[in-house]
Amino acid sequence: MDEVKQIVADIKNKKFRPIYFLMGEEPYYIDNISKYIENNVLSEEEKGFNQMILYGRDVSIEDIVGHAKRYPMMSEYQVVIVKEAQDLSRNIEKLVSYAEQPQPTTILVFNYKYKTIDKRKKLYKTLKKSGVIFESKKLYDNQVSDWIRRVLSGQNYTISPKAAQMLAEFLGTNLSKISNELDKLKIILPEGTQITPELIEQNIGISKDYNNFELQNAVGSRNVLKANQIIKYFGENPKDNPMVVTVALLYNFFSKLLYLHGLTDKSPRSVASALKINPYFVNDYITASKNYPMKKVSGVIAILREFDVKGKGVGSNAVKQGDLLKEMVVRIMN
């Protein structure tokens, strides 16, 4: 995120580089940097003659280089943006000769999504010298809540830990999807607002009481009544609460519990650091570790593996998702 801010700041200050090679598994930042260049480098008058959008499936490297070597018309720079550049992956190394001597009046942008170029090859090393290479890595599940908090903080909003966790669990690691939902909230909420579970429930439709986060807490605290209420709700709303997500999140939770049992230092700070969780949630894990000894946790992980397979239809085609979830939770909490 800091690297993105630096790239944008340099562009804003007109410290342009001749090539921006934006690559990686997470398209969110690739799209944002590319869009910022597209919208801010040239004036509206200059764009007509000096800004070109190309698509990887429609052009060759030779075509791109040909466009990049043109001189701008009545402008200091021209901008050439290659979207879906990953479609050129078989021949991308042909870009080396241009990268060695790029046209100084051209700003050439590659949106190379879901892939990366080989860092051992000449193209990568050459681009590092002559331009900017940005690798957009996919966030891990446990990093999403913190990403949400940081994004909102930079826009003068705050969010409670539980609300951030709700968004992360419901929307996954798709940053574009998360950003769209946050934008919807910002339209209706004034700056300075703290986003709470109630606001998310009202405006996004994620239940603050019946979600995977609450199920995790209910199971961890051995609250059988609450766990069964949530499972019943999931069974009645299977499309909004897919079993595969529930199993994955519980698996992650119990895997961390297993790790927690192996820690010698179980102080809140040490636990938060070791498990890579928000300190706000440490007590939930400590409580669960008392309710589930190490041997029991190992058994629960085996149960979750079994139901992960069943939830995908192996050996349980005729069984409803709600029934599978109920059986799974009963076996975990017994």
Side-chain angles (χ1 to χ4, degrees):
M1 199 166 175
D2 293 336
E3 188 180 356
V4 175
K5 289 181 179 178
Q6 187 60 56
I7 291 172
V8 170
D10 287 343
I11 294 168
K12 189 174 183 180
N13 293 323
K14 299 191 180 298
K15 296 179 181 178
F16 303 129
R17 302 297 298 275
I19 304 175
Y20 291 85
F21 201 94
L22 315 173
M23 64 181 189
E25 293 181 18
E26 176 50 66
Y28 176 78
Y29 286 119
I30 294 173
D31 288 336
N32 277 336
I33 295 171
S34 178
K35 189 173 182 180
Y36 189 83
I37 293 172
E38 183 178 343
N39 292 339
N40 294 282
V41 171
L42 302 178
S43 68
E44 290 303 318
E45 294 78 17
E46 292 171 328
K47 287 178 184 177
F49 289 106
N50 298 291
Q51 186 154 287
M52 182 173 295
I53 308 295
L54 306 173
Y55 289 86
R57 65 178 177 273
D58 299 326
V59 295
S60 65
I61 297 296
E62 290 79 8
D63 294 331
I64 295 167
V65 170
H67 289 299
K69 286 185 174 180
R70 288 175 49 223
Y71 288 95
M73 294 179 63
M74 296 177 288
S75 174
E76 190 176 352
Y77 294 97
Q78 72 156 340
V79 174
V80 178
I81 299 175
V82 186
K83 296 187 176 183
E84 308 300 335
Q86 66 274 12
D87 289 338
L88 296 161
S89 59
R90 290 184 180 180
N91 299 304
I92 197 67
E93 286 294 321
K94 291 183 178 180
L95 188 62
V96 169
S97 59
Y98 177 80
E100 288 175 332
Q101 291 184 310
Q103 182 77 4
T105 55
T106 294
I107 297 169
L108 177 59
V109 184
F110 284 86
N111 294 354
Y112 199 83
K113 296 179 183 179
Y114 315 113
K115 293 183 179 182
T116 59
I117 56 174
D118 193 331
K119 296 178 182 179
R120 299 166 297 179
K121 292 190 176 181
K122 188 175 182 180
L123 178 61
Y124 179 85
K125 296 172 183 177
T126 305
L127 287 171
K128 286 284 284 185
K129 293 178 182 178
S130 62
V132 169
I133 288 189
F134 170 72
E135 182 176 353
S136 186
K137 296 180 180 179
K138 204 169 187 68
L139 293 186
Y140 293 111
D141 292 339
N142 61 8
Q143 296 174 313
V144 176
S145 295
D146 187 56
W147 181 87
I148 292 170
R149 181 190 60 77
R150 291 179 66 190
V151 167
L152 288 171
S153 176
Q155 298 165 348
N156 201 23
Y157 290 85
T158 57
I159 186 167
S160 71
K162 180 179 175 180
Q165 191 74 13
M166 284 171 62
L167 283 174
E169 290 184 355
F170 188 76
L171 300 171
T173 59
N174 186 325
L175 301 189
S176 297
K177 192 174 181 181
I178 295 170
S179 180
N180 287 339
E181 295 299 335
L182 294 179
D183 287 343
K184 292 176 188 176
L185 288 172
K186 287 182 288 182
I187 289 172
I188 57 177
L189 300 176
E191 285 191 20
T193 300
Q194 181 177 58
I195 297 171
T196 62
E198 289 75 17
L199 287 172
I200 289 175
E201 182 174 45
Q202 292 164 16
N203 297 289
I204 297 179
I206 307 170
S207 172
K208 67 181 178 65
D209 297 315
Y210 299 100
N211 56 65
N212 283 306
F213 174 74
E214 292 298 330
L215 176 62
Q216 175 182 297
N217 280 347
V219 172
S221 61
R222 286 193 174 275
N223 187 331
V224 176
L225 176 60
K226 186 176 179 182
N228 281 325
Q229 288 173 337
I230 296 171
I231 289 300
K232 183 175 181 293
Y233 178 84
F234 283 6
E236 293 168 351
N237 301 274
K239 289 184 179 179
D240 293 331
N241 304 279
M243 182 174 174
V244 63
V245 174
T246 299
V247 174
L249 291 169
L250 287 175
Y251 183 85
N252 183 54
F253 176 68
F254 278 97
S255 295
K256 286 180 177 176
L257 280 189
L258 193 63
Y259 190 73
L260 172 57
H261 278 298
L263 294 177
T264 52
D265 182 359
K266 291 185 172 64
S267 64
R269 180 179 293 182
S270 175
V271 171
S273 175
L275 300 188
K276 297 180 180 178
I277 58 174
N278 189 309
Y280 178 86
F281 300 114
V282 167
N283 285 338
D284 296 335
Y285 282 84
I286 296 293
T287 298
S289 70
K290 293 175 181 177
N291 288 327
Y292 295 88
M294 182 179 284
K295 186 176 180 180
K296 175 63 177 175
V297 172
S298 298
V300 169
I301 288 174
I303 291 169
L304 289 167
R305 285 175 175 158
E306 175 189 338
F307 279 87
D308 178 52
V309 174
K310 287 183 176 180
K312 293 169 182 173
V314 179
S316 60
N317 288 332
V319 184
K320 292 181 180 179
Q321 174 178 304
D323 293 334
L324 282 174
L325 284 171
K326 186 174 181 180
E327 181 187 350
M328 179 185 77
V329 170
V330 167
R331 286 179 58 183
I332 287 173
M333 299 181 73
N334 277 348

